[in-house]
Every structure is written in C-alpha cells, then in structure tokens.
Amino acid sequence: MKKIEIKAEQFFELLKLKDTSMWSVFAQMIDGEEKEIIFLDNEEKILFNYILPSNPEKLEEDRKEFSKQFSDKLSIMN
C-alpha cells in the first residue's frame, strides 16, 4: 500500500483557498489502489491517518460515516 504524507495545516488552508472539500480531492486520487494518507502536524508528528479506498463507492460510504460522526460530536459539544 502506498503511503502519502500530508501537512494537515497547509492542506486544509489550500482547501479553503480553492473552496473545495477534502472528499473531492480524495476522489481525484482514486486509481484502483488503496493508499494510506497520513496527516502530519508542523513538527512531522502524525495527527491521524485515513485509508483511501480503491473505489468511489467506498469513498462515499466513508464520507457519509465521517459526516455522521462529526455531526454527532458537534451535537454533544453544544
């Protein structure tokens, strides 16, 4: 499995500037092979990782699950 390291802060700033979602970027990266995307902080420490699936259907499932979990966490905080 290919590993891709991404500086989280710069990645999310770029998404804001381009007015796009990480899911659309991930969709463009799908090529039939799973990839491990590793998000790093500015000190090269791992913040979190995501296994990019090999097909768009699984990516959509992941997006929905992420959205649900994120929404649930926000509702708990408020």
Side-chain angles (χ1 to χ4, degrees):
M1 178 182 312
K2 184 176 181 181
K3 295 182 185 234
I4 300 170
E5 293 184 349
I6 295 175
K7 296 277 186 135
E9 185 176 345
Q10 288 127 341
F11 177 71
F12 290 110
E13 284 297 320
L14 184 60
L15 291 179
K16 280 190 229 176
L17 288 173
K18 299 282 186 178
D19 192 28
T20 191
S21 76
M22 74 176 175
W23 299 104
S24 63
V25 172
F26 290 170
Q28 294 174 28
M29 295 170 65
I30 292 176
D31 64 3
E33 176 187 357
E34 282 188 346
K35 296 171 184 65
E36 181 179 15
I37 300 174
I38 303 166
F39 289 88
L40 305 171
D41 68 9
N42 290 332
E43 297 173 357
E44 304 287 324
K45 294 179 186 169
I46 296 174
L47 296 171
F48 57 94
N49 66 345
Y50 172 65
I51 304 299
L52 182 70
S54 59
N55 63 67
E57 295 79 18
K58 175 65 173 123
L59 180 69
E60 181 60 18
E61 288 176 24
D62 288 354
R63 185 194 66 77
K64 288 178 182 176
E65 181 61 27
F66 175 85
S67 295
K68 180 185 177 316
Q69 288 180 15
F70 189 74
S71 178
D72 291 348
K73 287 183 186 211
L74 285 179
S75 67
I76 291 170
M77 292 175 64
N78 292 327

